[in-house]
Amino acid sequence: MTQELTSPSPAPQAPGSGRGPGWWRDAVIYQVYVRSFADSDGDGIGDLRGVRERLPHLKDLGVDAVWLTPFYASPQADGGYDVADYRAVDPLFGTLQDADDLLRTAHDLGLRVIVDIVPNHTSDRHPWFTDPELARQRYLFRPGKGENGELPPNDWESIFGGPAWTRTDRGDWYLHLFAPQQPDLNWENPEVHAEFEAILRFWLDLGVDGFRVDVAHGMIKAPGLPDIGHGAQAQLIGSQVLPFFDQDGVHAIHRAWRRLLDGYGDGSGRQVIGVAEAWAPTPERLALYVRPDELHQAFNFQFLNAPWQADALRTVIEASLAATASVGAPTTWVLSNHDVVRHTTRLGGSLARARAASLLMLALPGSAYLYQGEELGLPEVTDLPDEVRQDPAFFRGGRATGAAGPGTDTEAAPDGVAAASGQDGFRDGCRVPLPWSGEAPPYGFGPGGSWLPQPADWAPLTVAAQTGDPASTLELYRAALELRRRLPGLGDGPMSWAPAPDGVLAFTRPGVLCTVNTLGHDVELPAPGTPLLSSAPVTVQDSAARLPGDSCTWWAI
Ligand code: GLC
């Protein structure tokens, strides 16, 4: 490591939008799925240099921060969520120097950077797991049931399908809530705590501005690892506390991490954050992760899972705001990520709805997470051939369409694995590399090909094709983020509902009113103000506004 690496570049001085006590409270944070964002070296796989070169796109887009998915040394059994060395960059993605350069460039551009931390499990190639003695202390090994220990120790299932246990050559079994290559750590062992605190410090010393905590609800298991008792685990995840998810014991870990993060807040005003990827059965239980002495944010998957229906959206929005308000935290909104079907496709294959949903999200109080490509209105790719698949859920869940195990209904699966009607239920379709420019694949993704094939009809969706076209989704996002920065009433702060006809939502923020028509047809209502921005052309005549079907409009009031 060079000397340079040890002195972190300063985080941007101004808080995300210049408002409020914490930059994260109203930040718009853009998720970069590193292997699919931009490829600098032509191997068809996105890398850190590619991200760095494309940071100006994110600056122009107007986001406040970037979240990078894991780029650590990994056999890539689960897209890098199987980490073999938490302090090294996988050669696929570059070097530690590239990570440092990326941080510096981002900070120079005024962008903060959050990295992923994966504490529930490591790779089975991690040196702790490959050493049988260490492994026994630091992972969850148990004897099997049955006469010769030939049955798994309990009835838990892997989120990716099949039993959550794998038998070793020695005859005992180890727990893996995800793929067999992702053994669960034993968080009863203080060495595990110490190691993760050291890893957090390593990245904080390099200058990162926070962590997205993977499976933040999973580290602690119920004592004795009890059976669930019936075979419907996939349906139970996210709807009730299970012996392996959302156990109260996880909060002690988050409290310790918060103390560590706060310790990095110094006189310079540096504020580093933790955001929980936590699946909790209710907004109230989710709010426990963002109590003042725990993490700063938690993804609000209830919003992501809500159907495109005015009453349902209102219910979720109210419940989310009430729950986080009860602990003084901001609400965090998200519509798409690398684990779920892209919202353009999920919301009925309707770009109009997707654009409306995005404007709705960006008008709500709190912070919003964008997933790369949603600013281009990218759809899910639903016709990937089997031979290019990489999602471990695809291989463990069987090859039949929709047989991923969890969540084969019309909504995104609550465990974070994609599922939706008419789509295949696996996660490669939202991970297809981004189209940047040009008429044919790889659309400027890099000098080589792309690790997943891009559709032949994406030329009109590239960043270059959409730039400057006021009707494009990219320009809609740019305009929305620009207004969000400029109007003090957006972002964190008060919101109240306004009267609206059935199927329409209306709410006010200071100086702004937002209408959302969830119906498939136009709705007329008295014009609430002057249109500022709309996801579809809105007309105002003689004080009457005509809201197009599936649209969202921001009005100056
Ligand atoms: C999280 C990640 C997902 C990964 C899983 C196991 O849900 O978002 O991509 O497969 O954790 O680490």
Side-chain angles (χ1 to χ4, degrees):
M1 200 196 293
T2 66
Q3 183 57 37
E4 241 192 339
L5 288 178
T6 59
S7 113
S9 55
Q13 280 303 304
S17 63
R19 291 186 295 265
W23 66 268
W24 68 90
R25 295 189 68 92
D26 59 4
V28 176
I29 302 177
Y30 183 100
Q31 178 188 356
V32 168
Y33 191 71
V34 176
R35 64 165 48 226
S36 301
F37 188 70
D39 173 24
S40 72
D41 60 9
D43 65 357
I45 297 177
D47 47 43
L48 295 180
R49 279 180 185 221
V51 178
R52 179 166 162 247
E53 285 163 10
R54 295 291 189 179
L55 284 176
H57 167 66
L58 303 182
K59 179 70 185 166
D60 289 350
L61 184 59
V63 301
D64 302 300
V66 177
W67 148 33
L68 301 171
T69 51
F71 49 79
Y72 315 113
S74 160
Q76 307 292 323
D78 181 22
Y81 283 95
D82 48 319
V83 182
D85 182 347
Y86 290 81
R87 295 176 181 80
V89 173
D90 195 283
L92 269 183
F93 302 124
T95 62
L96 206 48
Q97 184 67 55
D98 292 332
D100 187 55
D101 291 345
L102 167 51
L103 276 167
R104 283 170 196 279
T105 306
H107 287 166
D108 287 348
L109 288 169
L111 297 166
R112 288 183 164 85
V113 180
I114 291 171
V115 295
D116 231 303
I117 186 88
V118 188
N120 180 67
H121 45 263
T122 70
S123 161
D124 62 349
R125 302 284 95 208
H126 191 286
W128 283 8
F129 194 76
T130 53
D131 176 328
E133 279 320 302
L134 283 183
R136 213 152 287 284
Q137 308 300 318
R138 297 178 182 176
Y139 296 84
L140 295 165
F141 284 85
R142 293 289 184 276
K145 287 186 175 161
E147 218 169 293
N148 301 306
E150 72 282 9
L151 299 172
N154 70 20
D155 64 359
W156 300 358
E157 290 165 23
S158 154
I159 304 305
F160 294 152
W165 296 90
T166 289
R167 197 172 193 190
T168 70
D169 296 343
R170 302 181 298 271
D172 55 358
W173 299 71
Y174 68 88
L175 178 70
H176 52 86
L177 291 180
F178 294 88
Q181 298 92 333
Q182 294 168 295
D184 278 50
L185 283 160
N186 173 17
W187 276 87
E188 303 299 333
N189 182 338
E191 291 164 328
V192 174
H193 291 250
E195 172 65 359
F196 272 88
E197 295 200 359
I199 294 165
L200 295 180
R201 290 185 187 286
F202 176 86
W203 290 102
L204 288 165
D205 289 341
L206 202 68
V208 304
D209 302 296
F211 300 92
R212 177 263 191 191
V213 184
D214 189 65
V215 195
H217 56 315
M219 287 96 96
I220 298 295
K221 278 73 181 177
L225 312 185
D227 279 343
I228 294 177
H230 42 85
Q233 180 184 300
Q235 277 68 46
L236 301 178
I237 291 177
S239 66
Q240 65 180 63
V241 175
L242 291 169
F244 51 82
F245 275 167
D246 198 29
Q247 289 290 309
D248 291 337
V250 295
H251 296 289
I253 300 171
H254 299 317
R255 274 194 281 274
W257 286 16
R258 177 59 180 258
R259 286 194 293 276
L260 188 155
L261 296 178
D262 284 348
Y264 277 77
D266 48 30
S268 70
R270 185 175 180 196
Q271 292 175 316
V272 293
I273 68 162
V275 51
E277 186 224 16
W279 293 89
T282 60
E284 291 73 27
R285 282 198 69 87
L286 186 64
L288 300 179
Y289 291 80
V290 290
R291 285 177 284 190
D293 60 348
E294 296 202 30
L295 300 179
H296 299 74
Q297 296 183 329
F299 291 111
N300 180 357
F301 295 122
Q302 313 259 353
F303 178 68
L304 182 151
N305 274 332
W308 185 243
Q309 204 261 335
D311 290 345
L313 286 166
R314 180 172 169 151
T315 303
V316 167
I317 292 167
E318 281 174 354
S320 308
L321 290 170
T324 47
S326 71
V327 294
T331 307
T332 302
W333 311 100
V334 60
L335 286 166
S336 281
N337 65 33
H338 67 296
D339 289 329
V340 300
V341 171
R342 284 187 176 277
H343 69 278
T344 299
T345 303
R346 200 178 64 236
L347 295 175
S350 161
L351 181 59
R353 281 188 187 174
R355 288 163 56 99
S358 302
L359 271 201
L360 161 63
M361 169 171 78
L362 293 170
L364 291 169
S367 167
Y369 276 79
L370 309 182
Y371 175 51
Q372 66 179 38
E374 72 170 78
E375 79 278 22
L376 306 177
L378 292 189
E380 183 82 0
V381 178
T382 54
D383 58 357
L384 288 170
D386 287 1
E387 56 278 13
V388 303
R389 302 284 192 162
Q390 303 225 358
D391 181 0
F394 181 75
F395 300 101
R396 286 184 63 82
R399 279 159 193 272
T401 296
T408 49
D409 58 10
T410 54
E411 293 177 359
D415 48 49
V417 176
S421 68
Q423 297 125 42
D424 70 8
F426 302 104
R427 301 176 298 169
D428 293 310
C430 63
R431 299 175 178 180
V432 172
L434 286 195
W436 291 93
S437 59
E439 298 302 317
Y443 302 111
F445 171 65
S450 67
W451 68 279
L452 285 173
Q454 298 157 304
D457 60 357
W458 272 12
L461 298 179
T462 65
V463 173
Q466 296 197 39
T467 296
D469 173 359
S472 73
T473 301
L474 177 56
E475 294 298 348
L476 179 72
Y477 270 75
R478 285 180 176 154
L481 295 181
E482 203 267 320
L483 278 172
R484 220 180 124 100
R485 271 171 188 259
R486 196 151 50 79
L487 300 177
L490 294 173
D492 201 15
M495 159 190 170
S496 32
W497 295 105
D502 280 354
V504 176
L505 290 175
F507 60 88
T508 57
R509 309 296 317 277
V512 179
L513 186 141
C514 178
T515 52
V516 186
N517 177 7
T518 63
L519 304 173
H521 54 79
D522 291 5
V523 169
E524 210 173 84
L525 75 183
T530 315
L532 279 168
L533 185 65
S534 189
S535 65
V538 68
T539 50
V540 181
Q541 210 175 5
D542 301 333
S543 321
R546 182 168 282 276
L547 308 179
D550 293 325
S551 70
C552 175
T553 308
W554 295 1
W555 306 81
I557 52 171

